[in-house]
Amino acid sequence: MALALQTFSTVKDANAALKAAGTRYLGGGTLVVRAANEGDVSVSGLIRSTEPALSAITVSGREVRIGASVTMAAMARHPDLSSLARAARAVGGPAIRNMATIGGNLFAPAPYGDFTVALLALGATVGTDDGEVPIETFLAKREDNHAIVTSVGFSLPLEGGFRFLKISRVKPKGVSVLSIAAVLEQAPDGTVSSAHIALGCLADRPMRAKAAEKALLGRKLTSDGIAPALAVASDGTSPITDAVASAWYRNEVLPVHLGRLLLA
């Protein structure tokens, strides 16, 4: 059965149309169109919006606002966001990155959603017509979200403060075994003064490694300094098991890869 597609010039009108049963919002289509093609009969119609703000990237000093329709390819090539290019390029291959959007990635189930791991480490906010919420709050209740995501906002980390790692069995565009993003700040003496660490595939959606964050504070980024953080890296995790890796394996290799990221 062919899906009906309706296009609206404003997010407000698109939100109103989404109240009809069976409708889904169409961003890049890498999630919802695949679901429909694979037989999801709950999808009967697609809604999209061409409001210009959805495709805009605004950088003012360290403050960044990215429209939800911005693609991973656009993120990866933006000259002011080069520190995040690695995370954007971790999403699929070139064809997928030309379609996959920032907004859609927020809803991608594990083992997908690698860029959302980066946004979680950055402490981003998620915007809709109803306002903004912290990304951690949004992710916890994303199935209950019925408003179109319009943008994400965050502050760029200090130079060298952002780190990202994706582990996959197939290079360069394989599905994640796990992904890790960290935003670290260090005091003049080299000790960690602030740490935000986010994990992908260690739950059904990106999560913070709060025990590891706490264990890093006041420590130097040396093998001995990070040891307490690695010891608690798996606290609170509930990894997925899929064709790529088991939950046991993901938990086992997490401290290894987190250590590599922190010592990079």
Side-chain angles (χ1 to χ4, degrees):
M1 181 180 69
L3 297 178
L5 173 64
Q6 300 180 71
T7 300
F8 298 88
S9 60
T10 68
V11 171
K12 181 179 179 180
D13 289 341
N15 267 322
L18 277 174
K19 294 178 181 179
T23 55
R24 299 289 189 275
Y25 186 76
L26 176 67
T30 59
L31 295 176
V32 68
V33 173
R34 182 180 66 181
N37 287 341
E38 291 178 349
D40 186 347
V41 296
S42 69
V43 183
S44 59
L46 301 175
I47 306 296
R48 65 190 292 262
S49 174
T50 56
E51 187 166 315
L54 292 173
S55 300
I57 298 176
T58 304
V59 182
S60 179
R62 290 178 56 204
E63 299 306 309
V64 180
R65 175 67 54 182
I66 305 172
S69 293
V70 170
T71 64
M72 295 299 161
M75 275 292 304
R77 64 174 177 259
H78 195 284
D80 295 326
L81 301 175
S82 58
S83 61
L84 304 182
R86 185 174 184 178
R89 293 192 184 104
V91 177
I96 292 295
R97 290 195 293 273
N98 280 333
M99 298 176 65
T101 63
I102 301 298
N105 201 257
L106 293 169
F107 294 90
Y112 309 107
D114 296 306
F115 194 78
T116 300
V117 177
L119 291 174
L120 181 56
L122 289 164
T125 58
V126 178
T128 69
D129 274 358
D130 296 329
E132 290 191 32
V133 296
I135 188 170
E136 197 167 1
T137 302
F138 175 85
L139 290 174
K141 301 179 179 179
R142 66 183 179 185
E143 290 84 3
D144 298 327
N145 178 73
H146 301 296
I148 296 170
V149 171
T150 55
S151 65
V152 295
F154 56 87
S155 298
L156 285 172
L158 299 175
E159 185 175 355
F162 176 76
R163 307 179 185 201
F164 180 84
L165 181 65
K166 174 181 175 177
I167 305 302
S168 60
R169 298 185 184 276
V170 179
K171 309 293 184 181
K173 57 181 182 179
V175 172
S176 291
V177 172
L178 57 85
S179 54
I180 312 171
V183 176
L184 306 174
E185 294 182 8
Q186 293 173 268
D189 65 355
T191 58
V192 175
S193 57
S194 175
H196 282 206
I197 302 172
L199 309 173
C201 297
L202 273 298
D204 66 342
R205 66 201 68 202
M207 62 169 288
R208 290 267 298 277
K210 293 185 178 180
E213 293 171 353
K214 184 177 180 180
L216 273 181
L217 297 179
R219 311 282 296 190
K220 293 188 177 182
L221 296 179
T222 63
S223 295
D224 289 340
I226 67 173
L230 302 186
V232 297
S234 298
D235 284 12
T237 63
S238 181
I240 64 167
T241 289
D242 58 13
V244 176
S246 67
W248 174 86
Y249 181 79
R250 285 182 160 106
N251 256 342
E252 284 294 300
V253 300
L254 171 60
V256 175
H257 294 298
L258 177 58
R260 290 174 178 171
L261 182 73
L262 296 175
L263 294 175

